[in-house]
Amino acid sequence: MYRTNTCGELRLSDVNKKVTLAGWVQRTRKMGGMTFVDLRDRYGITQLVFNEEVNAELCAEANKLGREFVIQVTGTVNERFNKNKNLPTGDIEIIVDELKVLNAALTPPFTIEDNTDGGDDLRMKYRYLDLRRTAVRKNLELRHKMTMEVRKYLDSKGFLEVETPMLIGSTPEGARDFVVPSRMNPGQFYALPQSPQTLKQLLMVSGFDRYFQIVKCFRDEDLRADRQPEFTQIDCEMSFVQQEDIIELFEGMAKHLFKEIRGVELTEPFQRMSWADAMKYYGSDKPDLRFDMKFVELMDIMKGHGFGVFDSAEYIGGICAKGAATYTRKQLDALTEFVKRPQIGAKGMVYARVEADGNVKSSVDKFYTQEVLQQMKAAFGAEPGDLILILSGDDTMKTRKQLCELRLEVANQLGLRDKNKFALLWVVDFPMFEWSEEEGRLMAMHHPFTHPKDEDIALLDTDPAAVRADAYDMVCNGVEVGGGSIRIHDPKLQAKMFEILGFTPEKAEEQFGFLMNAFKYGAPPHGGLAYGLDRWVSIFAGLDSIRDCIAFPKNNSGRDVMLDDVMLDAPAPLEQKQLDELNLIVDIKE
Amino acid sequence: MYRTNTCGELRLSDVNKKVTLAGWVQRTRKMGGMTFVDLRDRYGITQLVFNEEVNAELCAEANKLGREFVIQVTGTVNERFNKNKNLPTGDIEIIVDELKVLNAALTPPFTIEDNTDGGDDLRMKYRYLDLRRTAVRKNLELRHKMTMEVRKYLDSKGFLEVETPMLIGSTPEGARDFVVPSRMNPGQFYALPQSPQTLKQLLMVSGFDRYFQIVKCFRDEDLRADRQPEFTQIDCEMSFVQQEDIIELFEGMAKHLFKEIRGVELTEPFQRMSWADAMKYYGSDKPDLRFDMKFVELMDIMKGHGFGVFDSAEYIGGICAKGAATYTRKQLDALTEFVKRPQIGAKGMVYARVEADGNVKSSVDKFYTQEVLQQMKAAFGAEPGDLILILSGDDTMKTRKQLCELRLEVANQLGLRDKNKFALLWVVDFPMFEWSEEEGRLMAMHHPFTHPKDEDIALLDTDPAAVRADAYDMVCNGVEVGGGSIRIHDPKLQAKMFEILGFTPEKAEEQFGFLMNAFKYGAPPHGGLAYGLDRWVSIFAGLDSIRDCIAFPKNNSGRDVMLDDVMLDAPAPLEQKQLDELNLIVDIKE
């Protein structure tokens, strides 16, 4: 061992001990005849002292140390004269009498500090140096702690972690697979799993009863800001359970994690909200409930007064921003521009301020009497000083989604999305199907094995689009952190489901025959859930991007962010020999 | 929840309780007017009772139950008249008053019993049914428990589990990579990691200090009996350590696991054996030390007596099988045939029995006097009743390996390889290099980053083939369960290593530039180790094949063993659309 202690553990009680430390030079300061070196490792920072008068040669060596040099020192723990209250080791220093440079270092391209001078790209390029920063390392420490706690909790509930294969068959349904050519089976390919869904259902058929796995999954999608081609799921499945059992168990897990990781005791049961209500009141299946600003529908009040935009709208709805009547015209114009951006697509925005005397002053005053505006005010429960913002449109769902974006933007501006506040809920009763314009048919909203709600089964024949599913999402702060469903275990119900989804028996057999065959040998009722670990860690760590809780993330074109090298520069061309062995020809179309 | 209790938990103290159970029908027995059903789940078996006199209709339903039907029953816990001492629930039974068939089942193609009537192929084809067998499920339960304990131990020692990417760059050195075409980067490929070696070294450069990961690794090799294309490693790396620190920490982990998993207290430090001694005395770098039978070299004693085979041999060595003088001529001939098999390749075998009077009777008596044979006997410390077996050859290492095979075979025959006995050791001081006939140069025995022993560094210039490395393997019962090395952190030493390995600076830069560049920014001294989880679980579970501790293994041509389906039948051809998106043409050469 190159050290007797880490750089984070020495205290006043260690004074006069002879110790050996090793680590990185954080900084050096020369003051008169003294040289001070901050020595850093994962555990902390300890101050080293070199005195020119005592040992000029050693002090001269210390003066030659550069930032990020790796050194080993031996010396005596000493009480500091000027204590540093900001460091756990701030009461002591080491009077060094031996110094060994274990490795020199080039000057890093940015400072290894919590507030670094390095920009995003530079830090990603030198990710191995970025990871030295305490702020970044803490995120990965938290990730480690979370997975430890998840395993501890699930183990205590009788779950078994079972590894499922990474090299599996490709499924034509769903997102695009990453594939792996097989050398031993020419012309054939494995796929990397998008999730172990079918494998975990097989484990239920196998009687494993309670399964989990913290597992890498893969999806070859065009990358959006906060997606990675490989991501990690906490994947779970249980037998002989109903929706309520799963919700109870995983709500327990969430509470356990908040307590252990963040010291937050969530004592109340999580709110349950139907998908229909989530859409109606928040325009989203993952509403951010850290703040209120519930949608109010205004069709009854605002239609028929001669304002053409509203009169012809199918939907008129608004939000009330408490105390935001102080918004200037400029701010309101900016909000209007915000909702008119093509990504959001609203035509315009109507606003109304509630003035100190209770009167409502709106941007559409010429169409509405104060009486109507007061009705509107009452509908919002608005008070003097509040700001009402209204959108309308001829497609209810689309307009609700626009209003959702507006609600989140206003909340951002008003500072209502506090990262240290956590609002959790279950969104339940998702629709079983959604209409696909592209395919011209109903598609399974979750997947074709999702169980419809018992009370809606009769609707499968008469009004399938109205059928709700035993499907549920856990939402935290407007982010879907996990979701799942009860699966169908009755072959007749499954056959009906395939029929509604437009599968011929042959096509169902071709695509899902494997699972269907397994089910013939005695499938228990079962259901499960999967959490997105990356997203969940980000929320716990208060991060804006999942990238910050991944040690070596990829950039938006799926490349390793460390771009300037050959070893990790993935992807890269293959050697001809490798292509030949795989029976592949690369044929890039212009 | 479909049950109030599992099938494994009810006891005498639960008598008269009203309970609901759910599970699979293990078997039904009709005795007079009574029907008994054994209901099985992961947790155990509980006997259900149906009485025709009490409820004829219900009993008739029970009589219709087939094997592996999934049912739910409600009834009352009753003390059994004929208790079953072999079952934890054997004191009670359930007097059923409600029965619901949750799912019917086809008759399984083999019995779901520990001693099943299903052959290997059938069981692998229906792996999801095979996994219902307690004997198989127990292996996966043990695997879960082992990974939990590994994580608990490493966490307690300050290790952080960090996930490294699965989609990385391909490295031309080493075994063959599985590759993944990138759609977003036409003509370019990712590789799946053979191990996170370089990534974990980067984490050391990042100051993570103690890293581990239980991680899937991939190797596209022609599969041998006990290899899988995807396998799981317990991968570890530490900074500021020497070989001794790593050995101590991971020996502690092994002891922890033996205690927690098998209840075996290993109190003594593990034996350490140099690679040279392991080869000299056991002909293997992973000697099975559950039994002795150390090699004895006989060149001094047996050469020069006119037996041409020995006189011209470079190496003559033998083993002494205690008490095996009773071996018949037929058994000895079979052993001779064994060593002459092409996989082993010996020319022949000489044997000698120590008779009751102490005389030695050998197969080469005509060349040797009893005096010489007595010298030989003394060299083995052989006693009356012992059997001496001798091989010779003109290549010392090859002959030792043949003798190793003979030693293991004889031990098998003598029942010396007890699966409930554990002999652990560290093999240390591996050679740094080995000569490659194919490449015509020295190759790194571990990898080019392995640190040579300090005392051998001078030999790098004069006799590189004699240099030993700070490399170590942990061996249990003749199986290498883990191995690792101290890595080079001094750029000058690394440059010298590349030079000896015949790399030009350009080639070294091309292949390893990434890591080398990272090292320029301050690399700590570091080292690590990786355990093969599959192998280690097999040893703990007493299995002959790693396949039995993997939920869904692949067969020897890398195919899923469940062959008759489309969903898991991997690998399989891609659709043309997928190939087009990947810019690939399949071109199978005849």
Side-chain angles (χ1 to χ4, degrees):
Chain A
M1 197 69 91
Y2 282 77
R3 64 191 174 205
T4 57
N5 294 83
T6 70
C7 296
E9 62 181 333
L10 294 170
R11 298 288 184 275
L12 267 185
S13 56
D14 298 301
V15 164
N16 291 330
K17 273 192 197 151
K18 191 92 173 175
V19 297
T20 301
L21 300 185
W24 286 262
V25 171
Q26 178 78 21
R27 72 178 69 78
T28 58
R29 295 184 305 283
K30 219 169 132 55
M31 295 176 69
M34 308 287 280
T35 297
F36 298 93
V37 175
D38 281 352
L39 189 66
R40 187 197 70 235
D41 66 11
R42 180 182 125 199
Y43 311 95
I45 284 181
T46 298
Q47 178 166 291
L48 312 178
V49 185
F50 299 84
N51 189 334
E52 203 176 335
E53 283 181 27
V54 176
N55 189 335
E57 200 183 330
L58 193 67
C59 196
E61 272 181 63
N63 288 334
K64 279 186 275 177
L65 294 174
R67 276 202 288 139
E68 300 304 314
F69 273 44
V70 185
I71 64 170
Q72 181 187 36
V73 295
T74 299
T76 308
V77 183
N78 186 47
E79 181 167 359
R80 261 163 92 159
F81 184 71
N82 287 317
K83 298 199 171 49
N84 181 343
K85 296 270 174 252
N86 300 321
L87 279 185
T89 61
D91 288 348
I92 59 97
E93 61 193 5
I94 312 294
I95 310 292
V96 177
D97 41 44
E98 279 176 57
L99 164 65
K100 187 175 175 191
V101 174
L102 297 173
N103 238 334
L106 297 179
T107 304
F110 50 85
T111 56
I112 310 297
E113 310 265 2
D114 281 2
N115 290 311
T116 181
D117 56 357
D120 253 24
D121 288 351
L122 196 63
R123 289 191 297 106
M124 282 294 158
K125 179 172 164 182
Y126 294 93
R127 182 64 167 172
Y128 48 89
L129 297 179
D130 195 33
L131 287 170
R132 280 190 193 162
R133 295 167 56 231
T134 302
V136 178
R137 200 193 54 244
K138 288 279 177 220
N139 297 333
L140 290 155
E141 289 178 358
L142 183 135
R143 187 180 179 110
H144 163 74
K145 196 170 171 204
M146 272 189 71
T147 56
M148 286 296 293
E149 288 298 334
V150 166
R151 288 192 164 95
K152 203 188 288 177
Y153 179 85
L154 291 175
D155 180 65
S156 79
K157 301 291 180 190
F159 283 77
L160 297 174
E161 185 160 27
V162 179
E163 292 177 65
T164 52
M166 287 285 173
L167 299 171
I168 63 169
S170 186
T171 46
E173 291 279 295
R176 212 181 270 109
D177 285 323
F178 279 108
V179 297
V180 182
S182 167
R183 182 179 52 87
M184 291 174 61
N185 300 276
Q188 304 200 14
F189 293 74
Y190 301 99
L192 300 177
Q194 296 183 30
S195 101
Q197 180 64 35
T198 52
L199 292 155
K200 71 177 175 176
Q201 291 193 247
L202 279 183
L203 287 172
M204 292 305 104
V205 175
S206 298
F208 271 62
D209 207 75
R210 294 184 165 202
Y211 144 93
F212 84 102
Q213 191 181 187
I214 300 185
V215 61
K216 274 279 173 78
C217 300
F218 303 86
R219 208 169 286 171
D220 185 11
E221 289 178 314
D222 301 324
L223 299 173
R224 282 180 264 155
D226 215 21
R227 287 265 177 114
Q228 290 276 318
E230 50 180 301
F231 53 98
T232 305
Q233 270 188 204
I234 305 170
D235 192 49
C236 308
E237 196 81 3
M238 302 170 79
S239 290
F240 300 115
V241 289
Q242 279 131 347
Q243 173 170 315
E244 194 57 34
D245 304 307
I246 295 183
I247 284 187
E248 194 180 300
L249 200 134
F250 289 97
E251 186 165 318
M253 182 165 110
K255 286 176 175 175
H256 174 82
L257 289 174
F258 272 101
K259 191 173 157 204
E260 295 298 324
I261 307 285
R262 293 285 312 221
V264 173
E265 293 251 19
L266 301 169
T267 49
E268 295 296 309
F270 294 178
Q271 190 176 335
R272 310 270 179 100
M273 191 182 290
S274 71
W275 178 88
D277 278 356
M279 297 310 295
K280 183 179 171 74
Y281 294 117
Y282 301 98
S284 167
D285 57 6
K286 39 180 194 282
D288 187 343
L289 298 191
R290 280 175 293 185
F291 57 99
D292 192 16
M293 265 200 255
K294 222 174 183 178
F295 295 180
V296 172
E297 295 187 355
L298 301 168
M299 287 80 86
D300 289 350
I301 298 169
M302 305 295 277
K303 279 185 111 165
H305 297 275
F307 178 39
V309 173
F310 282 3
D311 286 353
S312 66
E314 183 185 284
Y315 178 88
I316 311 166
I319 53 173
C320 173
K322 302 303 289 178
T326 52
Y327 261 54
T328 61
R329 177 62 191 256
K330 198 175 158 196
Q331 284 174 299
L332 289 164
D333 284 349
L335 277 185
T336 305
E337 286 314 306
F338 173 82
V339 296
K340 285 167 80 178
R341 287 161 46 192
Q343 306 96 299
I344 298 182
K347 294 264 157 53
M349 182 183 80
V350 167
Y351 57 85
R353 293 190 185 88
V354 183
E355 301 189 321
D357 59 6
N359 276 342
V360 175
K361 186 95 192 73
S362 86
S363 58
V364 287
D365 273 0
K366 61 178 165 178
F367 299 107
Y368 294 97
T369 62
Q370 190 59 222
E371 193 192 341
V372 175
L373 293 174
Q374 287 296 325
Q375 282 175 35
M376 180 189 79
K377 179 178 106 175
F380 284 103
E383 296 169 322
D386 292 351
L387 176 69
I388 291 167
L389 302 170
I390 303 170
L391 299 184
S392 65
D394 48 16
D395 180 321
T396 298
M397 277 300 179
K398 274 191 190 157
T399 314
R400 283 173 172 165
K401 284 175 187 167
Q402 294 160 358
L403 193 53
C404 169
E405 297 292 340
L406 178 63
R407 174 178 177 268
L408 295 175
E409 175 62 19
V410 171
N412 278 336
Q413 294 182 6
L414 298 176
L416 298 175
R417 304 184 77 187
D418 179 355
K419 281 179 185 163
N420 291 309
K421 193 174 159 185
F422 300 100
L424 285 114
L425 76 154
W426 291 98
V427 176
V428 295
D429 301 350
F430 275 80
M432 185 73 219
F433 306 103
E434 55 188 347
W435 180 259
S436 163
E437 291 294 343
E438 199 181 326
E439 302 267 329
R441 62 171 173 102
L442 288 177
M443 306 275 281
M445 200 161 187
H446 278 67
H447 54 66
F449 303 104
T450 304
H451 199 283
K453 294 196 90 62
D454 283 332
E455 59 265 40
D456 289 1
I457 287 182
L459 292 173
L460 284 172
D461 290 316
T462 55
D463 185 8
V467 173
R468 295 162 305 157
D470 282 334
Y472 33 81
D473 278 356
M474 188 192 278
V475 174
C476 180
N477 292 2
V479 175
E480 179 210 322
V481 289
S485 66
I486 298 295
R487 331 297 181 187
I488 297 170
H489 66 277
D490 171 9
K492 277 187 230 117
L493 184 57
Q494 188 65 63
K496 162 147 283 176
M497 200 59 62
F498 281 137
E499 194 190 313
I500 294 168
L501 290 169
F503 285 63
T504 60
E506 294 71 34
K507 198 178 161 203
E509 169 67 28
E510 185 193 314
Q511 291 200 12
F512 302 107
F514 178 70
L515 197 57
M516 296 295 90
N517 282 332
F519 273 32
K520 289 178 190 154
Y521 290 94
H526 61 288
L529 164 148
Y531 284 104
L533 178 65
D534 306 295
R535 281 197 204 166
W536 216 5
V537 174
S538 317
I539 289 175
F540 273 89
L543 301 174
D544 292 319
S545 163
I546 59 167
R547 220 164 71 164
D548 292 324
C549 68
I550 297 172
F552 300 105
K554 292 195 168 44
N555 72 11
N556 284 354
S557 52
R559 299 195 73 88
D560 267 307
V561 289
M562 296 179 286
L563 295 173
D564 62 339
D565 70 278
V566 287
M567 193 163 243
L568 270 195
D569 190 16
L574 288 189
E575 291 183 3
Q576 190 57 44
K577 181 167 161 259
Q578 286 173 289
L579 288 172
D580 290 345
E581 282 183 340
L582 296 171
N583 300 284
L584 289 179
I585 294 173
V586 170
D587 176 44
I588 301 173
K589 279 123 198 150
E590 293 306 309
Chain B
M1 197 69 92
Y2 282 77
R3 62 191 175 206
T4 56
N5 294 84
T6 70
C7 295
E9 62 180 331
L10 294 170
R11 299 288 184 274
L12 267 186
S13 56
D14 298 300
V15 164
N16 291 329
K17 272 190 197 154
K18 190 91 173 177
V19 297
T20 301
L21 301 184
W24 286 261
V25 172
Q26 178 79 20
R27 71 178 70 78
T28 57
R29 292 185 307 283
K30 218 169 132 58
M31 295 175 70
M34 308 287 281
T35 296
F36 298 95
V37 174
D38 281 353
L39 189 66
R40 188 197 69 235
D41 66 11
R42 182 182 123 198
Y43 311 95
I45 284 181
T46 297
Q47 177 167 294
L48 312 177
V49 184
F50 298 84
N51 189 332
E52 204 177 333
E53 283 180 28
V54 176
N55 190 335
E57 202 183 330
L58 192 68
C59 196
E61 272 182 63
N63 288 333
K64 280 187 274 177
L65 294 173
R67 278 202 285 141
E68 301 303 314
F69 273 43
V70 186
I71 64 170
Q72 182 187 34
V73 294
T74 298
T76 308
V77 182
N78 187 47
E79 180 169 1
R80 259 163 93 160
F81 183 71
N82 287 316
K83 299 198 169 50
N84 182 343
K85 297 270 175 253
N86 300 320
L87 279 185
T89 61
D91 288 348
I92 59 96
E93 61 193 3
I94 312 295
I95 309 292
V96 178
D97 41 44
E98 280 177 57
L99 163 65
K100 188 177 175 189
V101 175
L102 298 173
N103 238 334
L106 296 180
T107 304
F110 49 86
T111 55
I112 311 297
E113 309 267 2
D114 281 2
N115 289 312
T116 181
D117 56 357
D120 253 25
D121 287 351
L122 196 62
R123 289 192 296 105
M124 282 295 158
K125 179 171 164 183
Y126 292 92
R127 180 64 166 173
Y128 48 89
L129 297 180
D130 195 33
L131 287 169
R132 280 190 195 162
R133 295 168 55 231
T134 303
V136 178
R137 199 195 54 244
K138 288 279 176 221
N139 297 332
L140 290 155
E141 287 178 359
L142 184 135
R143 187 180 180 112
H144 163 73
K145 197 172 171 199
M146 274 190 68
T147 56
M148 285 296 294
E149 288 299 332
V150 165
R151 287 191 165 97
K152 204 189 287 177
Y153 179 85
L154 292 174
D155 181 65
S156 78
K157 301 290 180 191
F159 283 77
L160 297 175
E161 185 161 25
V162 180
E163 292 176 65
T164 53
M166 288 283 171
L167 298 172
I168 64 170
S170 186
T171 46
E173 291 277 296
R176 212 180 271 109
D177 285 324
F178 279 107
V179 299
V180 181
S182 167
R183 182 178 52 88
M184 290 173 61
N185 301 275
Q188 304 200 15
F189 294 75
Y190 301 100
L192 300 177
Q194 296 183 29
S195 100
Q197 181 63 36
T198 52
L199 292 155
K200 72 177 175 177
Q201 291 193 247
L202 279 182
L203 287 172
M204 293 304 105
V205 175
S206 297
F208 271 61
D209 207 74
R210 296 184 164 202
Y211 144 93
F212 84 102
Q213 190 182 189
I214 301 185
V215 61
K216 273 279 172 77
C217 299
F218 303 85
R219 209 168 285 171
D220 186 10
E221 289 178 315
D222 301 323
L223 299 173
R224 281 181 264 155
D226 216 22
R227 289 262 177 116
Q228 289 276 318
E230 51 180 300
F231 53 98
T232 305
Q233 271 186 204
I234 306 169
D235 192 49
C236 308
E237 196 81 3
M238 302 170 78
S239 289
F240 301 115
V241 289
Q242 280 131 345
Q243 174 170 313
E244 194 56 33
D245 305 307
I246 295 182
I247 284 186
E248 195 179 300
L249 200 134
F250 289 98
E251 187 166 316
M253 182 165 111
K255 287 176 174 176
H256 174 82
L257 289 175
F258 272 100
K259 192 171 157 210
E260 295 297 324
I261 308 285
R262 293 285 312 220
V264 174
E265 292 252 19
L266 302 169
T267 48
E268 296 296 308
F270 294 177
Q271 191 177 334
R272 309 272 180 99
M273 190 183 289
S274 71
W275 178 88
D277 278 356
M279 297 311 294
K280 183 178 171 75
Y281 295 117
Y282 302 95
S284 167
D285 56 6
K286 42 180 191 285
D288 187 344
L289 298 190
R290 279 175 294 183
F291 57 98
D292 192 17
M293 266 200 255
K294 225 174 182 178
F295 294 0
V296 172
E297 295 187 356
L298 299 169
M299 286 80 85
D300 289 350
I301 296 170
M302 304 296 276
K303 278 184 115 166
H305 298 276
F307 179 41
V309 173
F310 281 3
D311 287 353
S312 66
E314 184 184 287
Y315 178 87
I316 311 168
I319 54 174
C320 172
K322 302 303 286 179
T326 52
Y327 260 54
T328 62
R329 178 61 193 257
K330 199 175 156 195
Q331 285 175 301
L332 289 164
D333 285 349
L335 277 184
T336 305
E337 285 314 305
F338 173 82
V339 296
K340 285 167 79 177
R341 286 161 45 189
Q343 306 96 299
I344 298 182
K347 294 265 159 51
M349 182 184 81
V350 166
Y351 58 86
R353 292 191 185 87
V354 184
E355 301 188 322
D357 59 6
N359 275 342
V360 175
K361 188 92 193 72
S362 87
S363 59
V364 288
D365 273 1
K366 60 178 166 182
F367 299 107
Y368 294 97
T369 62
Q370 189 60 225
E371 193 192 341
V372 175
L373 295 174
Q374 287 296 327
Q375 283 176 31
M376 179 188 80
K377 179 178 106 177
F380 282 103
E383 296 170 323
D386 291 351
L387 175 69
I388 291 167
L389 302 170
I390 303 170
L391 299 183
S392 66
D394 49 15
D395 181 318
T396 296
M397 276 301 177
K398 272 191 192 159
T399 315
R400 283 173 171 165
K401 285 174 187 169
Q402 294 161 357
L403 192 54
C404 168
E405 298 291 340
L406 179 63
R407 175 177 177 270
L408 295 175
E409 174 62 18
V410 170
N412 278 336
Q413 294 182 5
L414 298 176
L416 299 174
R417 304 185 77 188
D418 179 355
K419 280 178 184 162
N420 291 308
K421 195 174 158 185
F422 299 100
L424 285 115
L425 76 154
W426 291 98
V427 175
V428 296
D429 301 350
F430 276 79
M432 186 72 218
F433 305 103
E434 57 187 344
W435 180 259
S436 164
E437 290 296 342
E438 199 182 326
E439 301 268 330
R441 63 170 172 101
L442 289 177
M443 307 275 280
M445 199 162 189
H446 277 66
H447 54 66
F449 302 105
T450 305
H451 199 283
K453 294 196 89 63
D454 283 333
E455 58 267 39
D456 290 0
I457 286 181
L459 291 174
L460 284 172
D461 290 317
T462 56
D463 185 8
V467 173
R468 295 163 304 158
D470 283 334
Y472 33 82
D473 278 356
M474 188 192 279
V475 175
C476 178
N477 293 1
V479 174
E480 179 210 322
V481 289
S485 66
I486 297 295
R487 331 296 182 187
I488 297 170
H489 66 277
D490 172 8
K492 276 187 230 115
L493 184 57
Q494 188 65 61
K496 162 146 284 179
M497 201 58 63
F498 281 137
E499 193 190 314
I500 294 169
L501 290 169
F503 285 63
T504 60
E506 293 71 31
K507 199 177 160 203
E509 169 66 27
E510 186 193 315
Q511 291 199 13
F512 302 107
F514 178 70
L515 197 58
M516 296 294 90
N517 281 332
F519 273 31
K520 289 178 191 155
Y521 290 95
H526 62 288
L529 164 147
Y531 284 103
L533 178 65
D534 307 295
R535 282 195 204 169
W536 216 5
V537 174
S538 314
I539 289 175
F540 274 89
L543 301 174
D544 292 318
S545 163
I546 59 168
R547 220 165 68 164
D548 293 323
C549 69
I550 297 171
F552 300 105
K554 291 196 171 39
N555 72 11
N556 284 354
S557 52
R559 300 193 73 87
D560 267 308
V561 289
M562 295 179 287
L563 296 173
D564 62 339
D565 72 278
V566 288
M567 195 161 237
L568 270 194
D569 190 16
L574 288 189
E575 291 183 2
Q576 190 58 45
K577 181 169 161 255
Q578 287 173 289
L579 288 171
D580 290 345
E581 282 183 342
L582 295 170
N583 301 284
L584 289 179
I585 294 174
V586 170
D587 176 45
I588 302 173
K589 279 126 198 150
E590 295 305 309

